[in-house]
Amino acid sequence: MLDNKIRDLINEQINKELYSAYLYLDFANYYHEQGLDGFANWYDIQAQEERDHAMLMRTYLHNNGEKVLLDVINKPDKTYENTDSPLKMSLEHEQFITASINNIYRIASELHDYRTMQFYDWFIKEQGEEEKNAEDLIRKYELFGSDPKGLYALNQELLSRVYTASSFTV
Ligand code: OFO
């Protein structure tokens, strides 16, 4: 059994991960509409990964005899003014998620909940990678996105991304 505070925070985090999936699907829809299938593919895969994160946390609660409480997932309400708007929003969103996961880790540490800290070690590393990926994409867009050939090449690069399930298990 986990401390109620930790249980509630993990349930909230599951909702945030599912919202992340929803948000990234919305980004993917936008890029499909723009004819940028590579960018759309990138965010389709991001959405799958976010769902996986939610499922890992769900399994963690189950394994610890805790109740999983699914809450309403907010509607993505973003408007995209430019082709790079989702890229910037993605970085901001990942920073928000990192702060949220760090908060769970901090509280687990205060409660001497070493099991939860160990579980979230993987997510802390993952967030570092996701923030870096988001920053790299913004940078590449700044370098190549304004040139049609550059944008085409970047779109092709993102189209080659394939989904691989995480090797992390609970
Ligand atoms: Fe769930 O990995 Fe980022 O947000």
Side-chain angles (χ1 to χ4, degrees):
M1 294 288 273
L2 302 172
D3 187 283
N4 287 351
K5 210 172 186 179
I6 290 290
R7 177 204 59 201
D8 293 348
L9 282 171
I10 297 176
N11 268 309
E12 282 166 27
Q13 191 63 36
I14 290 173
N15 186 267
K16 286 177 188 167
E17 300 293 334
L18 292 173
Y19 174 76
S20 303
Y22 229 39
L23 181 66
Y24 290 149
L25 278 181
D26 200 56
F27 290 179
N29 291 341
Y30 166 75
Y31 283 122
H32 274 295
E33 287 158 17
Q34 301 297 309
L36 288 166
D37 54 354
F39 286 75
N41 176 57
W42 177 272
Y43 283 111
D44 273 334
I45 292 171
Q46 279 302 114
Q48 280 176 278
E49 288 194 355
E50 296 303 346
R51 183 188 175 278
D52 290 349
H53 297 164
M55 293 304 112
L56 285 165
M57 294 179 204
R58 171 179 177 255
T59 303
Y60 182 74
L61 286 181
H62 281 320
N63 288 355
N64 284 280
E66 296 292 351
K67 196 162 173 56
V68 177
L69 295 168
L70 296 178
D71 206 344
V72 174
I73 304 167
N74 286 336
K75 178 179 164 183
D77 60 352
K78 309 285 185 206
T79 44
Y80 311 116
E81 279 164 18
N82 300 301
T83 313
D84 64 343
S85 301
L87 309 183
K88 292 176 178 163
M89 288 172 188
S90 165
L91 178 59
E92 272 170 35
H93 184 68
E94 288 303 334
Q95 287 166 340
F96 164 73
I97 294 293
T98 298
S100 180
I101 285 177
N102 286 350
N103 184 49
I104 298 176
Y105 201 89
R106 184 180 57 78
I107 292 172
S109 164
E110 283 168 11
L111 294 168
H112 306 292
D113 180 352
Y114 304 113
R115 190 188 304 163
T116 298
M117 288 168 74
Q118 194 190 42
F119 173 67
Y120 274 100
D121 276 339
W122 183 85
F123 288 95
I124 286 170
K125 186 163 170 277
E126 174 75 4
Q127 281 309 119
E129 285 169 16
E130 294 206 336
E131 283 190 32
K132 183 183 182 306
N133 287 342
E135 280 165 359
D136 286 353
L137 201 45
I138 292 170
R139 181 100 182 100
K140 282 184 186 175
Y141 190 90
E142 282 168 359
L143 287 168
F144 312 117
S146 56
D147 167 65
K149 280 189 192 149
L151 182 61
Y152 180 79
L154 183 53
N155 186 65
Q156 290 306 108
E157 181 189 322
L158 299 180
L159 193 56
S160 66
R161 183 183 186 191
V162 278
Y163 168 74
T164 41
S166 157
S167 55
F168 177 62
T169 49
V170 187

